Amino acid sequence: KMSAVFLLLLVSTANVGAVLEKGLPRREPRRLSCVRCCGPSEQPVSIISSRYTRMSSDPAYSVPKVQPTIDITILKGEKGEMGEKGYPGAVGKEGERGLRGLNGRKGQKGQPGPQGHSCKQLYAAFSVGRRKPLHSSDYFQHVTFDTEFVNLYKHFNMFSGKFFCYVAGVYYFSLNVHTWNFKETYLHLMKNEKEVAILYTQPSDRSIMQSQSLMLDLQEGEEVWVRMFKRERENAIYSEESDVYIIFNGHLIKPAVE
């Protein structure tokens, strides 16, 4: 009786299998590829990751790749304003010294410098004259001298006609000229660029000697000189080659530092 029941179950199971084979489409068995779990120095791979690897390698389970494209012209904005100037960078290394340049032109000879205080001579004196007459042709005309009587330490510059003060102190100056017949005589005794005294004579039918003198307190570097001043009338001073009629004198009375 038990054997009859077992045979009946086998027959029913076979019939069901035949029906299923007829009803379902036949599918080829899939070959499973071998997956390397791990090497001697590697960590084991999880079952989920290995299964995902097998599925992704199969074309039936492959996921399509999506490559999005971005339009940069839409994202690009307007040009911004210029920012503030940044801090200056670090100073670079000093470069090599360049070649020596060409020598410049030789300058003009300067005036003698003041003497040193350790050996300074506290004296100053000059007396110069002019042998040539002079007529004023400009509004102001510098009077120069051509004869040197005394020029201690060369404090009076014969080229410029000016006395240069090297020793500060009180000085005495005097100016003597010879007037010209029927002509006006008008001169300024100058301290730097300012007139400090005037020598004046009106026109006359005879010529005379005229003089002017004064004392000045000078500082080192100041200058004293003479100029003619022309007005409406003709201005002139007389002299001749054989004699000296125009004389300019000066000397130190008391130095500022003794």
Side-chain angles (χ1 to χ4, degrees):
K1 185 177 182 179
M2 290 294 295
S3 61
V5 175
F6 182 71
L7 288 175
L8 183 62
L9 291 174
L10 289 175
V11 171
S12 60
T13 303
N15 292 332
V16 171
V19 173
L20 291 174
E21 288 181 358
K22 292 179 181 180
L24 295 176
R26 181 178 294 272
R27 186 174 181 183
E28 293 293 331
R30 186 176 3 141
R31 294 182 179 180
L32 298 177
S33 58
C34 296
V35 178
R36 180 163 114 6
C37 293
C38 60
S41 62
E42 297 177 345
Q43 296 293 332
V45 181
S46 64
I47 299 175
I48 297 175
S49 61
S50 61
R51 185 183 300 171
Y52 175 77
T53 304
R54 292 196 302 271
M55 292 177 63
S56 61
S57 62
D58 192 348
Y61 295 99
S62 62
V63 179
K65 296 181 180 181
V66 180
Q67 295 182 354
T69 58
I70 300 175
D71 190 357
I72 300 179
T73 58
I74 298 176
L75 301 178
K76 186 178 181 180
E78 297 181 357
K79 186 177 181 180
E81 298 180 355
M82 183 179 291
E84 298 181 356
K85 186 176 180 181
Y87 294 101
V91 180
K93 295 182 179 179
E94 185 177 357
E96 296 181 358
R97 186 174 182 179
L99 299 176
R100 184 176 181 180
L102 301 175
N103 294 330
R105 295 181 180 180
K106 186 177 180 180
Q108 297 180 354
K109 185 177 180 180
Q111 295 182 350
Q115 300 173 0
H117 291 285
S118 58
C119 302
K120 190 171 185 178
Q121 301 293 332
L122 300 180
Y123 301 100
F126 72 92
S127 179
V128 294
R130 181 182 176 93
R131 295 180 181 272
K132 296 180 181 180
L134 183 63
H135 288 78
S136 60
S137 57
D138 298 326
Y139 189 70
F140 292 118
Q141 185 170 346
H142 195 142
V143 179
T144 57
F145 301 87
D146 51 27
T147 303
E148 184 181 78
F149 298 111
V150 175
N151 192 2
L152 191 61
Y153 307 120
K154 302 298 180 180
H155 291 182
F156 188 90
N157 191 325
M158 295 296 294
F159 179 78
S160 64
K162 294 183 178 181
F163 169 75
F164 188 88
C165 178
Y166 289 102
V167 183
V170 178
Y171 285 80
Y172 174 84
F173 296 96
S174 65
L175 176 63
N176 300 275
V177 299
H178 194 287
T179 63
W180 205 309
N181 295 5
F182 305 105
K183 295 179 181 181
E184 189 176 48
T185 301
Y186 202 142
L187 294 95
H188 287 156
L189 193 62
M190 305 292 297
K191 176 182 176 182
N192 298 325
E193 298 300 323
K194 182 180 180 181
E195 61 271 13
V196 292
I198 295 174
L199 188 152
Y200 176 74
T201 302
Q202 291 182 343
S204 175
D205 57 353
R206 60 191 183 93
S207 59
I208 59 174
M209 294 294 297
Q210 189 77 1
S211 66
Q212 178 65 282
S213 60
L214 78 164
M215 287 191 298
L216 294 175
D217 188 3
L218 300 181
Q219 301 297 322
E220 186 174 350
E222 293 186 312
E223 295 176 324
V224 179
W225 51 289
V226 181
R227 75 177 181 187
M228 296 184 70
F229 173 58
K230 181 181 179 181
R231 299 197 299 178
E232 293 81 5
R233 301 175 182 178
E234 187 177 4
N235 187 8
I237 49 179
Y238 177 81
S239 190
E240 57 185 28
E241 293 290 343
S242 59
D243 209 344
V244 181
Y245 289 86
I246 305 170
I247 297 176
F248 184 33
N249 300 323
H251 66 273
L252 177 64
I253 297 176
K254 184 180 184 299
V257 178
E258 297 183 356

